Amino acid sequence: MSLTTLNDIFFVAAERNLDRAMLYRDAGKWLPISSSDLRRNVASTVGALQQWGIKKGDRVAILSENRPEWSTADFAILLLGAVTVPVYATLTPEQTAYTLSDSGSSVIFVSTEHQLRKVHAILSQTQVKKIVVMDHLQIPSDLASTCVLMDAFMTQGPLALDPQTESRARSIQPDDLATIIYTSGTTGTSKGAMLNHGNLASNISCSLLGFDMRPGLVSVSFLPLSHVTARHVDLALLY
């Protein structure tokens, strides 16, 4: 398959019959996520986003340290034609509020209770209507109407995309907006860089020509996925 959109990467990765498409560390051990696990997790997340009315062009934020759920959420957003807005986990509440408000994000994925509390404190300054929490925790009663646990739907949804949703996902074009990445390390207010599917897919295609990538190699994802380089590397490896 020629690589023209980021959705192509998902379909390639999900259709492989790999026992270890990704690895994550838990209690001192590296545990595998298979191709079928990835396909199910993403499909279930797509279903949840659809229930909340997320559609092509909508902005969905991810505020999380690196973990498998980051890529799961990213793929689900992109398959719907929506736009991923990465948010650095180290941002202050005020900086987070600006990113969410400026991008117009209506849903946000957060990693931990700490990040949940950060978002809740600035919720009134944003357009966010739903918060998805990656950690398995007890949702505080004052957040029950806004929050949902990611694993509450991720392991109970469909095993794959339904034909209509898959058809729409495959119809996404290189010129369609994929992500808005806010600049870091600059003076003044962060600027949102609008990158389309073709921008990222072409870079990944070119970079793969320069490296001897083959099945069985393992890469450690240590740069924050909110940064375009880390996301580029992870997507290239999955492809």
Side-chain angles (χ1 to χ4, degrees):
M1 171 187 276
S2 62
L3 178 55
T4 60
T5 72
L6 299 184
N7 290 355
D8 294 336
I9 296 175
F10 169 76
F11 289 115
V12 167
E15 288 164 8
R16 290 196 180 105
N17 188 27
L18 296 179
D19 293 329
R20 303 194 317 164
M22 304 171 75
L23 296 167
Y24 68 100
R25 194 165 175 82
D26 185 50
K29 297 181 179 179
W30 287 101
L31 303 177
I33 295 175
S34 68
S35 300
S36 59
D37 291 335
L38 177 64
R39 183 171 58 246
R40 178 203 63 207
N41 293 345
V42 171
S44 298
T45 305
V46 166
L49 290 173
Q50 285 177 314
Q51 287 185 351
W52 301 329
I54 295 300
K55 60 188 182 305
K56 186 174 181 179
D58 289 344
R59 276 62 163 161
V60 179
I62 304 176
L63 170 58
S64 171
E65 304 75 18
N66 292 15
R67 53 194 292 170
E69 293 90 346
W70 206 110
S71 297
T72 298
D74 190 25
F75 276 134
I77 296 163
L78 295 170
L79 290 172
L80 288 171
V83 180
T84 301
V85 181
V87 183
Y88 281 95
T90 53
L91 292 185
T92 66
E94 292 75 19
Q95 291 170 319
T96 302
Y98 173 79
T99 301
L100 296 177
S101 176
D102 187 67
S103 64
S105 296
S106 57
V107 172
I108 184 169
F109 289 78
V110 302
S111 54
T112 63
E113 184 169 1
H114 169 70
Q115 302 295 0
L116 171 61
R117 287 296 185 182
K118 181 196 292 185
V119 170
H120 183 247
I122 49 91
L123 203 59
S124 63
Q125 303 172 47
T126 74
Q127 295 87 48
V128 171
K129 299 294 188 293
K130 184 70 70 174
I131 305 171
V132 184
V133 186
M134 297 175 182
D135 272 0
H136 187 77
L137 51 83
Q138 183 69 40
I139 297 292
S141 58
D142 58 331
L143 301 178
S145 62
T146 308
C147 297
V148 62
L149 296 180
M150 192 168 180
D151 64 2
F153 58 76
M154 195 167 65
T155 58
Q156 299 177 12
L159 297 179
L161 298 173
D162 64 78
Q164 186 177 14
T165 300
E166 179 171 340
S167 177
R168 285 200 299 267
R170 291 185 184 274
S171 72
I172 296 299
Q173 297 298 306
D175 287 341
D176 286 330
L177 185 61
T179 190
I180 303 175
I181 300 179
Y182 281 78
T183 55
S184 63
T186 57
T187 57
T189 305
S190 292
K191 311 298 190 296
M194 302 174 72
L195 301 174
N196 62 37
H197 281 261
N199 293 148
L200 294 166
S202 62
N203 277 350
I204 290 169
S205 294
C206 289
S207 65
L208 285 173
L209 296 175
F211 294 88
D212 180 24
M213 304 304 296
R214 59 190 185 278
L217 294 180
V218 177
S219 172
V220 178
S221 182
F222 66 93
L223 290 172
L225 282 168
S226 300
H227 192 288
V228 70
T229 303
R231 193 153 157 226
H232 174 116
V233 172
D234 278 19
L235 289 168
L237 286 159
L238 281 167
Y239 184 66

